[in-house]
Amino acid sequence: MSWQTYVDDHLLCDVDGNQLTSAAIIGHDGNVWAQSSNFPQLKTEEINGIMNDFSEPGSLAPTGLFLGGTKYMVIQGEAGAVIRGKKGTGGVTVKKTNQALVIGIYDEPMTPGQCNMVVERLGDYLIDQGL
């Protein structure tokens, strides 16, 4: 299965009539494996900030999580595994696997919990596959 299929079928899936607004799977080195057409163009420093927060949990909290220049307030996550961010009526979930970052961005009516479930379920599957 191609990486694009994971984005299209697993991240952009329908959850109670809602779906993520955009999603991507990105290598730890910042290389995009697959993404939705409207996923923001990430800057190297944004990927570095995310990777740094996974190794030093809490480092993004003072400055915020940036994706494509959009700032998200960092909210509760799982140290070293998941970063969650909020902006207005939407937000983001970033799940770290052995080799990649699974990122989902949502807006109302999708809920934070629905976004977390979709992103983390795929992330857990990839971890189980050694990816």
Side-chain angles (χ1 to χ4, degrees):
M1 186 174 342
S2 79
W3 289 112
Q4 193 62 48
T5 304
Y6 283 107
V7 170
D8 296 341
D9 295 351
H10 298 279
L11 291 176
L12 298 178
C13 64
D14 189 77
V15 181
D16 298 331
N18 303 318
Q19 68 177 173
L20 296 172
T21 53
S22 61
I25 302 172
I26 297 174
H28 289 180
D29 58 4
N31 286 325
V32 175
W33 294 7
Q35 65 183 17
S36 60
S37 59
N38 58 345
F39 192 81
Q41 179 67 43
L42 300 185
K43 300 178 179 95
T44 304
E45 60 268 20
E46 293 172 339
I47 296 290
N48 292 342
I50 291 168
M51 292 304 296
N52 187 52
D53 193 80
F54 281 122
S55 50
E56 296 175 32
S59 64
L60 280 178
T63 59
L65 166 65
F66 286 86
L67 292 175
T70 300
K71 181 179 179 178
Y72 296 86
M73 180 178 67
V74 177
I75 55 176
Q76 98 290 353
E78 296 168 34
V82 179
I83 300 170
R84 298 183 183 111
K86 185 97 174 102
K87 177 179 174 54
T89 59
V92 61
T93 301
V94 182
K95 170 76 175 182
K96 181 179 183 254
T97 73
N98 300 333
Q99 299 176 22
L101 301 172
V102 180
I103 305 172
I105 299 173
Y106 70 94
D107 211 340
E108 285 187 334
M110 186 170 232
T111 67
Q114 290 171 325
C115 177
N116 296 341
M117 180 193 70
V118 169
V119 171
E120 294 175 38
R121 183 175 55 197
L122 179 59
D124 289 339
Y125 170 78
L126 294 178
I127 290 169
D128 290 344
Q129 300 304 305
L131 300 165

